[in-house]
Amino acid sequence: MLIAHRRADPKGRAALRHALLDETEPELALCRIRAVLERTGALDTAHAMADEYARRARALLTRLPATAQVAHVRALALLTRPAH
């Protein structure tokens, strides 16, 4: 949402505000928000950021000692969305 708001033109920012603050129909609000997310590329950017954070976290996990706790965290890290 923050990425979309930052990238959107005034009309797009107004659409986000309206969807979040004034829209009484949840389905319509979601459609409006999704349209701005797609138009600004915010969703793709957020996915890329998440992929990068996950990649970095997996890399840093290799530096930790081999303990049962670290093994559990590593297993959780494998469940994250794989980078493209």
Side-chain angles (χ1 to χ4, degrees):
M1 292 293 289
L2 294 173
I3 295 166
H5 188 268
R6 185 178 59 221
R7 290 182 177 177
D9 60 14
K11 184 178 176 182
R13 285 191 290 278
L16 287 174
R17 271 192 306 279
H18 177 74
L20 292 170
L21 301 175
D22 302 322
E23 186 56 61
T24 58
E25 296 294 327
E27 296 84 12
L28 185 54
L30 182 59
C31 286
R32 288 182 178 173
I33 291 169
R34 184 171 264 303
V36 176
L37 290 173
E38 289 175 357
R39 192 166 48 248
T40 61
L43 204 52
D44 291 335
T45 298
H47 282 156
M49 289 170 65
D51 289 344
E52 177 59 17
Y53 291 144
R55 185 198 64 73
R56 288 170 46 194
R58 285 189 296 269
L60 290 171
L61 283 172
T62 64
R63 297 181 186 179
L64 295 176
T67 65
Q69 294 83 0
V70 171
H72 288 298
V73 174
R74 285 182 181 146
L76 284 173
L78 294 176
L79 299 175
T80 61
R81 187 181 121 121
H84 301 289

